[in-house]
Amino acid sequence: MKLLKFSGNIFIVLGISLFLTACKKENADEFPNEPLIQGLINDIKADSLEADVIWLQNMGTRFAPLENHREVALRIKKRFMMQGYNNVELDSFFVTIALSTGFYGDWQYNVIATLEGSLYPDSVCVVGGHYDNILKSTVDYDTVPGANDNASGTAAVLEIARVMKKNNFMPKSTIMFIAFGAEELGLFGSKDFAANPNGFSGKIRFMLNSDMIAYEPSTSPDSWYVNIMDYDNSHNLRYDAEQICARY
């Protein structure tokens, strides 16, 4: 799928469109509301994405075992709240792991903002990305900006949440925007959520994960692309994604 702009922007378009087309019940209308999709897409701002990436990288580090890990989660929570989400929560889980510097054990946090579904609130779609980062080539974890891995993915989550809230979008099914913690240590945040997803076990219909969406080594826009990884139970969603990229 060839792109004409910064791949992160196109990924947000894909994310919004997928949530309006895939996050629905089987008996819903086959085609989405075209003006609604276009209106949301028009509100996607490259400046907003860039500002969120810079904001995250300027925290200095988001390496989960360091003392600032709760403060990082709280700052992301406040970011969602500034967008108008009054139901943001820190979903805590305990991590125990052996590091090169010794044994580590402490609470870590997923940050969850919820847009409740108007017709099917117990049917959940998830848009997520991890906010922690790591630099394995050195023991100096004080400066690990992680702009690409994965401030870019977290910025995608924040931007989709911002655009939907700004436009007073009311989804039929509930949407959870999740910034996962402690992923680089061993996928701890997502594993904890999958094991007990806030009472929605077995009711998650769809999940779009944003990871390293700012990465593109080529300097030629003609060779830029979006890589969508699907699984055996989501080939149809990948097909939908290809059609969405072509359409919008």
Side-chain angles (χ1 to χ4, degrees):
M1 293 173 285
K2 298 296 184 181
L3 304 184
L4 301 179
K5 294 182 179 180
F6 165 58
S7 59
N9 254 11
I10 302 301
F11 197 90
I12 309 302
V13 173
L14 170 62
I16 286 178
S17 303
L18 270 177
F19 274 96
L20 292 177
T21 57
C23 190
K24 61 182 185 294
K25 308 293 276 190
E26 284 85 348
N27 61 353
D29 294 337
E30 182 177 359
F31 298 102
N33 186 312
E34 198 83 11
L36 173 60
I37 290 180
Q38 199 60 58
L40 292 171
I41 289 174
N42 289 341
D43 266 336
I44 298 167
K45 304 299 181 185
D47 290 348
S48 177
L49 285 165
E50 182 179 9
D52 282 336
V53 170
I54 293 174
W55 170 71
L56 286 159
Q57 77 167 26
N58 284 349
M59 294 181 189
T61 185
R62 301 184 306 280
F63 183 50
L66 291 185
E67 292 182 358
N68 71 331
H69 68 272
R70 179 176 171 83
E71 178 60 27
V72 171
L74 286 171
R75 292 180 70 177
I76 295 173
K77 176 182 178 180
K78 291 178 181 177
R79 202 75 158 189
F80 278 123
M81 293 176 66
M82 289 173 61
Q83 295 174 347
Y85 291 89
N86 56 13
N87 56 3
V88 191
E89 61 178 306
L90 296 187
D91 184 23
S92 61
F93 54 95
F94 200 81
V95 170
T96 56
I97 189 173
L99 300 174
S100 60
T101 53
F103 181 81
Y104 172 81
D106 202 353
W107 292 98
Q108 295 286 335
Y109 309 93
N110 294 328
V111 188
I112 304 176
T114 302
L115 195 60
E116 186 170 348
S118 58
L119 294 179
Y120 314 107
D122 61 341
S123 180
V124 181
C125 300
V126 176
V127 55
H130 73 89
Y131 64 85
D132 66 307
N133 60 359
I134 194 170
L135 187 61
K136 295 180 180 179
S137 61
T138 177
V139 295
D140 179 12
Y141 295 113
D142 291 335
T143 304
V144 191
N148 180 39
D149 189 9
N150 188 37
S152 64
T154 304
V157 177
L158 290 167
E159 182 69 356
I160 294 174
R162 182 190 70 83
V163 169
M164 287 187 171
K165 178 61 74 171
K166 176 186 175 184
N167 287 273
N168 297 312
F169 175 65
M170 296 181 63
K172 293 181 179 179
S173 300
T174 295
I175 300 177
M176 285 185 172
F177 304 98
I178 307 179
F180 292 100
E183 287 292 279
E184 296 287 14
L185 296 181
L187 307 180
F188 285 101
S190 57
K191 287 179 179 178
D192 179 81
F193 179 79
N196 183 30
N198 285 28
F200 288 99
S201 180
K203 299 179 182 179
I204 295 178
R205 300 181 51 79
F206 170 81
M207 195 268 181
L208 178 67
N209 183 55
S210 305
D211 197 77
M212 298 177 66
I213 63 169
Y215 176 73
E216 177 45 64
S218 173
T219 58
S220 172
D222 291 336
S223 65
W224 293 0
Y225 66 94
V226 168
N227 182 25
I228 305 171
M229 298 171 141
D230 59 348
Y231 298 88
D232 288 340
N233 65 347
S234 60
H235 295 320
N236 288 339
L237 286 176
R238 181 183 181 88
Y239 175 78
D240 289 344
E242 293 172 356
Q243 300 305 306
I244 287 167
C245 282
R247 188 179 185 92
Y248 297 105

